[in-house]
Amino acid sequence: MARSFRAVRLLRPGLPALPEGAPTVVYSNHPSWWDPAFHIVLTTTFLPRHTTFGPIDAEALERYGFMKRIGLFGVEPGSRAGAARFLEVGRHVLADPARTLWMTAQGTFADPRAAVPIRAGLAHLMARVPGTVAVPLALEYPFWGEKRPEALAAFGAPVAAPPSKDVPRAVRTRNLQAALQRGLDETMERLSAAARERDPAAFEPVLGGRRGVGGVYGAWKRVTARAAGRAHDPDHIMDHTT
């Protein structure tokens, strides 16, 4: 990601405080192929003591077998067997508070500005694991005027599963589904507004990335800076630190 983006940034105030020892899920929208890599960058930066796992289409996992070694497990989307597999492995992951489940809850690629319903699997899982906390995560990859795009993220307010099973599971699931959808929609809207503002100061830098446009234009900028006796700034427009 550092090689491919101008910078990797997290919208302030960053990751919210999480209850000590609570089973934790981070669920995001799914705008790009880059999303799992972004998940890894964020978890190693902000939850370094957690072991992370995540579901992926079983067919894709067979094509990219190395992903099994980084905590991804296969499920068949849209099938009863796939749903059962997700619940089984998800419950096992959340049984240890040192593990975190990361997932693209929309289940399919979608534009980051589009309102896409999340799949119901996470709500069903949380209804079976009382006390689980789910943190919404919005992702975007916009261009801000430089050669390379920005990788932007924002965490939202955690959604907590009821601590007991006194409420019928169907009701718990329905309420959780609505709360999870609302949390992700609000987080995506907040990130979208910040992305349109194009103000790096609103974000915490996670990775510096690669600066400059290279080629003839980049060489011309270096020459003119040297001739003027000033330091060379490789950025095309912005004059901000990452």
Side-chain angles (χ1 to χ4, degrees):
M1 292 193 74
R3 291 195 302 269
S4 298
F5 291 94
R6 168 62 182 80
V8 179
R9 310 179 194 270
L10 177 63
L11 187 62
R12 302 183 192 277
L15 180 68
L18 301 174
E20 188 71 25
T24 304
V25 179
V26 179
Y27 69 106
S28 76
N29 60 326
H30 197 10
S32 168
W33 175 91
W34 281 103
D35 301 339
F38 210 160
H39 288 181
I40 292 172
V41 169
L42 292 173
T43 190
T44 54
T45 303
F46 297 101
L47 294 170
R49 294 194 178 100
H50 285 227
T51 304
T52 59
F53 298 85
I56 187 174
D57 186 300
E59 184 177 337
L61 189 60
E62 288 304 311
R63 291 202 308 269
Y64 306 107
F66 76 92
M67 292 184 173
K68 297 175 184 178
R69 299 196 296 272
I70 59 173
L72 296 180
F73 59 92
V75 296
E76 287 183 26
S79 71
R80 186 167 295 183
R85 164 82 169 159
F86 171 72
L87 294 175
E88 177 189 8
V89 179
R91 292 177 73 170
H92 177 70
V93 170
L94 297 179
D96 185 345
R99 301 177 185 141
T100 304
L101 186 68
W102 289 65
M103 57 187 295
T104 52
Q106 291 175 331
T108 185
F109 290 118
D111 188 274
R113 310 293 171 86
V116 177
I118 64 174
R119 293 188 174 178
L122 177 55
H124 283 281
L125 175 62
M126 293 178 67
R128 288 164 169 78
V129 186
T132 299
V133 174
V135 183
L137 171 64
L139 304 174
E140 279 203 32
Y141 306 91
F143 282 89
W144 277 0
E146 302 298 327
K147 178 180 180 179
R148 295 174 181 83
E150 309 290 326
L152 306 181
F155 287 111
V159 177
S164 71
K165 298 182 178 180
D166 295 338
V167 179
R169 182 185 295 172
V171 176
R172 292 200 308 271
T173 302
R174 185 169 59 249
N175 292 343
L176 282 166
Q177 179 70 8
L180 291 167
Q181 184 72 61
R182 184 166 57 250
L184 184 57
D185 288 346
E186 291 173 354
T187 307
M188 290 172 61
E189 289 173 7
R190 189 164 63 89
L191 180 60
S192 174
R196 291 195 297 270
E197 290 293 324
R198 300 189 174 196
D199 180 8
F203 294 82
E204 176 181 351
V206 180
L207 293 176
R210 294 183 65 180
R211 304 174 64 188
V213 297
V216 174
Y217 183 77
W220 175 80
K221 286 196 68 178
R222 286 193 298 272
V223 170
T224 55
R226 188 178 304 118
R230 65 174 185 271
H232 170 56
D233 181 354
D235 284 337
H236 173 53
I237 295 176
M238 295 184 298
D239 185 20
H240 299 288
T241 60
T242 56

